[in-house]
Amino acid sequence: MTPHINAKKGEIAKTVIMPGDPLRAKFIAENYLEDYQLVSNVRGIDVYTGFYKEKKLTIMASGMGIPSMGIYSYELFKFYEVDNIIRIGSCGSYDAKINLYDLILVTESYSQSNYANEQNGSNDKIIKSDDYLNAKIEENINNKYFKGKIYCSEAFYKERAYQEFAEAGCLGVEMETFALFHNAKVFNKKAACLLTVSDSLVTKEKTSSREREQNFTEMIEIALNTVVNL
Ligand code: HPA
């Protein structure tokens, strides 16, 4: 048990799939897992461990933002000896060619966050995801997808323009990868992130929460099938 997870050691699988939203974690467990159990529910963050195509895995939400992802991924890697975390989330697009519902596989996370420095003194501003996990994910994607750097923001509502982050080579924006990739690096573990575009900073289009939910299924299935092949 940790301050934020009340599962026993061994109740969390070696690979964890992390959506941001606790309701999405519940949706994945209920619709895809067999023989699953709720192994922790501190602060309404349900943690489900079960089987998909006979492979044991855990589904747990990260919550929103770097600090929340920072806490949960740290505890999973360090105290529960998790080896792989695959984040599945949504992002805003910075690129006119990247539309609503497009998929982005994140190769690196750029952030102006102080998280890494505060956590262990690192001066990293760009942190890579794991090449092996990314290759496994790519084996399971059948449709078009984008691959590249993402900006990891600490402010969802910004007065500041996004263009400087686009000019720095970022395809879009989300809020959790920087903490996840940093913690994976600290513990020499593997982390990856697959995103679905939920809004465009360029055209200002947005998906409804209902549409977002339906479109998430493609990404969920890619992540689940990736875990089977690990
Ligand atoms: N900003 C930050 N995070 C996000 C966004 C956004 O526009 N869309 C989805 N996650």
Side-chain angles (χ1 to χ4, degrees):
M1 302 228 280
T2 66
H4 310 99
I5 304 174
N6 59 12
K8 295 194 204 78
K9 240 182 162 159
E11 287 182 330
I12 293 182
K14 287 291 172 194
T15 301
V16 180
I17 294 178
M18 297 192 94
D21 177 356
L23 292 178
R24 190 133 306 141
K26 187 176 162 76
F27 173 88
I28 299 169
E30 288 176 349
N31 289 281
Y32 292 95
L33 296 194
E34 288 183 41
D35 296 333
Y36 66 88
Q37 280 187 306
L38 178 66
V39 297
S40 176
N41 64 354
V42 180
R43 289 178 181 247
I45 298 287
D46 290 354
V47 182
Y48 299 94
T49 297
F51 295 84
Y52 180 74
K53 297 185 183 168
E54 294 174 13
K55 180 90 174 192
K56 187 176 176 185
L57 60 92
T58 293
I59 316 284
M60 174 183 184
S62 65
M64 288 183 284
I66 288 171
S68 184
M69 172 58 98
I71 290 169
Y72 293 125
S73 58
Y74 188 98
E75 293 181 3
L76 290 172
F77 285 138
K78 183 174 170 95
F79 301 108
Y80 290 95
E81 296 172 7
V82 165
D83 291 332
N84 312 298
I85 297 179
I86 301 174
R87 158 165 159 72
I88 51 174
S90 62
C91 68
S93 168
Y94 284 162
D95 188 325
K97 293 192 293 299
I98 306 181
N99 299 309
L100 297 191
Y101 305 123
D102 281 347
L103 270 183
I104 301 178
L105 178 64
V106 180
T107 54
E108 33 184 20
S109 175
Y110 166 46
S111 189
Q112 295 185 343
S113 161
N114 199 43
Y115 178 82
N117 189 264
E118 190 171 340
Q119 203 280 320
N120 73 350
S122 159
N123 290 317
D124 286 348
K125 290 293 166 204
I126 297 177
I127 311 179
K128 279 168 56 66
S129 53
D130 184 79
D131 289 339
Y132 175 80
L133 274 189
N134 288 343
K136 288 288 175 190
I137 290 169
E138 288 184 279
E139 285 173 14
N140 288 286
I141 307 181
N142 298 314
N143 297 318
K144 179 189 82 163
Y145 64 100
F146 295 87
K147 190 176 173 184
K149 182 160 56 182
I150 204 87
Y151 185 67
C152 187
S153 178
E154 289 190 307
F156 184 88
Y157 298 106
K158 283 209 258 280
E159 312 303 328
R160 191 164 150 184
Y162 72 86
Q163 278 81 359
E164 66 178 282
F165 307 118
E167 282 158 18
C170 298
L171 304 179
V173 55
E174 55 81 63
M175 304 184 74
E176 291 82 20
T177 48
F178 192 70
L180 174 61
F181 296 172
H182 171 80
N183 286 342
K185 191 170 169 181
V186 166
F187 293 112
N188 200 20
K189 306 272 184 152
K190 294 181 169 58
C193 174
L194 196 56
L195 299 167
T196 300
V197 175
S198 62
D199 50 87
S200 170
L201 285 279
V202 185
T203 63
K204 312 274 189 258
E205 294 168 281
K206 284 182 177 45
T207 57
S208 68
S209 51
R210 181 93 198 100
E211 289 169 318
R212 227 177 270 196
E213 195 162 301
Q214 287 168 356
N215 213 264
F216 235 73
T217 55
E218 182 188 1
M219 191 164 60
I220 291 168
E221 288 169 16
I222 292 166
L224 288 167
N225 286 309
T226 298
V227 178
V228 173
N229 297 319
L230 286 181

